[in-house]
Amino acid sequence: MEYRNLRGTDLTVSAVGFGVWTVGTTWWGVKDEQMGKRLLREAFERGVTYFDNADTYASGRAEELQREALGDVRDQIVIGTKFGYNIYTHPERPGQQERPHDWSPAYLRRALEGSLKRLGTDYIDYYQLHNPRMDALQADDLWAELDRLKAEGLIRAYGTALGPALNERQIEEGIASVRDRRAPTQIIYNLLEQVLGEQILPVAEEVGVGVVARVPHASGLLEGYMTLNTEFEPGDHRNWRMTTNARRKAWMEDGLKKVEDLQPFVSGRTIGQLALQFALRSPAMASVLPNIYDEKGLREYAAAFDAAPLTNDEYAAIQTLYRDNFGLTHDLRGQEVAR
């Protein structure tokens, strides 16, 4: 495992982290809590020290599962969790719809107290605004309260996690986070979906602020198991991509064509390890959060640094393919690409 500084903070995180949502929700991942706790523990034993959670994941149950799995090694891990959605007065919505945000300093305190209790700790290492819009990024009272919480020792560092889905609006939000607030940010970034990284990573490098990437495997396309016949369970968030024939072609068929074109770069590594090495290329990138839902994937991703390293020539060749959209006329969202 490799360990990196989350720039702009004093935190050192494992370059491959664990997004606890895969074991703490039913959206797409582990349905058995005991298996989830075993995966969390094995991840720690394999060198993963950064665990990324949120109070919205199963309305806090994911934080409790993390405590149950890793509470006895709390001083050896970096706990990241998130706040902003009002989980106390607004029940979870069907179809992974967003709850209302509450960015008031009073709610921030309430949210933090809940997470501290569920996680079984007296401080959070990395506390993140969960899918903020510009109003939250410009709310001086909110950021002043974060500074007070840090001064009180209740949090060590704070940042943002952009979302929920990939949206070009997040470019402005990400730049505001790293440049205006000097706060690290979490983005969707992978070698098939680089729109946010292209704009945010250079700014983060310039100002010395860190970035964390989620969805490094493009929602499964870069994990190596998907075929045209792959079906997703009800409730799996990827089903939205398959609602029309056009979306199926754009995402599944075209995505798999791109994966096929990447096969020459798989020698000495798996496609999943290639994806992680690519996402970690920027010096501002502190950690990536692959979707971990079985032991096979965990072991493969934790060993990403044991595989043949991505060379400069390979990186350049992949970027040439990307800039040409792998010769295709639609992007992964089904939108026409100018040629």
Side-chain angles (χ1 to χ4, degrees):
M1 183 59 67
E2 182 175 303
Y3 301 90
R4 299 184 176 190
N5 169 243
L6 178 61
R7 292 183 176 189
T9 78
D10 63 357
L11 301 176
T12 298
V13 296
S14 54
V16 177
F18 196 124
V20 185
W21 80 275
T22 60
V23 300
T25 74
T26 59
W27 300 340
W28 164 28
V30 179
K31 303 299 192 295
D32 181 283
E33 286 193 352
Q34 295 306 312
M35 172 59 77
K37 288 191 284 187
R38 287 197 296 273
L39 286 173
L40 288 167
R41 192 70 188 196
E42 183 176 345
F44 169 73
E45 292 168 353
R46 290 183 177 274
V48 174
T49 60
Y50 177 48
F51 295 86
D52 186 77
N53 217 317
D55 59 6
T56 54
Y57 299 164
S59 297
R61 179 57 184 152
E63 292 178 322
E64 294 173 344
L65 286 175
Q66 182 174 322
R67 181 197 71 230
E68 293 167 9
L70 299 169
D72 64 322
V73 292
R74 196 275 170 261
D75 61 340
Q76 300 177 57
I77 64 175
V78 175
I79 294 178
T81 196
K82 310 181 193 75
F83 73 96
Y85 289 117
N86 190 330
I87 68 172
Y88 297 103
T89 60
H90 295 275
E92 189 168 356
R93 295 180 171 183
Q96 302 163 36
Q97 298 179 62
E98 288 188 271
R99 292 165 162 159
H101 279 123
D102 186 339
W103 299 116
S104 67
Y107 184 77
L108 164 57
R109 289 263 175 182
R110 181 181 183 185
L112 178 59
E113 289 170 2
S115 287
L116 289 171
K117 181 178 180 180
R118 289 185 295 270
L119 287 161
T121 182
D122 55 8
Y123 67 95
I124 302 296
D125 296 290
Y126 183 45
Y127 205 37
Q128 302 156 82
L129 284 69
H130 200 174
N131 299 340
R133 309 311 196 254
M134 286 302 295
D135 63 328
L137 291 163
Q138 295 170 348
D140 290 338
D141 60 342
L142 171 64
W143 294 86
E145 189 71 4
L146 286 166
D147 281 330
R148 281 190 285 270
L149 293 172
K150 185 177 178 182
E152 294 170 23
L154 296 174
I155 60 176
R156 293 178 62 194
Y158 52 74
T160 62
L162 305 184
L166 181 63
N167 190 307
E168 292 186 10
R169 180 201 73 233
Q170 294 163 27
I171 294 173
E172 181 183 13
E173 295 160 358
I175 291 174
S177 180
V178 299
R179 174 170 284 160
D180 300 341
R181 296 296 181 180
R182 293 296 197 270
T185 193
Q186 182 186 131
I187 63 173
I188 292 174
Y189 180 69
N190 57 70
L191 62 80
L192 302 183
E193 297 170 300
Q194 298 185 40
V195 61
L196 298 184
E198 287 173 328
Q199 301 297 318
I200 296 171
L201 283 168
V203 178
E205 292 175 14
E206 174 191 344
V207 301
V209 172
V211 177
V212 173
R214 70 178 185 277
V215 200
H217 292 116
S219 296
L221 284 171
L222 296 171
E223 291 179 13
Y225 71 87
M226 201 175 291
T227 71
L228 289 174
N229 297 319
T230 298
E231 298 289 340
F232 304 117
E233 296 181 5
D236 190 309
H237 80 275
R238 290 171 293 184
N239 280 315
W240 74 267
R241 299 180 184 267
M242 319 296 271
T243 54
T244 67
N245 288 335
R247 279 191 169 178
R248 181 178 181 90
K249 176 178 176 56
W251 191 72
M252 180 71 89
E253 295 183 16
D254 289 358
L256 289 174
K257 166 62 168 59
K258 295 176 181 181
V259 171
E260 181 180 345
D261 288 349
L262 290 168
Q263 291 308 306
F265 304 99
V266 173
S267 178
R269 61 180 80 91
T270 67
I271 187 75
Q273 291 171 334
L274 170 67
L276 297 184
Q277 292 179 4
F278 180 92
L280 287 161
R281 186 76 175 184
S282 167
M285 191 66 73
S287 185
V288 294
L289 302 170
N291 293 327
I292 296 172
Y293 35 74
D294 58 33
E295 293 178 352
K296 177 179 180 297
L298 169 59
R299 293 167 185 174
E300 176 184 342
Y301 305 149
F305 298 100
D306 296 329
L310 182 65
T311 68
N312 291 336
D313 287 344
E314 288 174 321
Y315 179 81
I318 289 172
Q319 288 300 65
T320 297
L321 286 172
Y322 175 80
R323 284 191 294 270
D324 190 46
N325 197 40
F326 295 78
L328 300 174
T329 59
H330 294 81
D331 65 19
L332 289 177
R333 291 173 288 173
Q335 297 175 342
E336 194 77 22
V337 173
R339 304 194 63 78

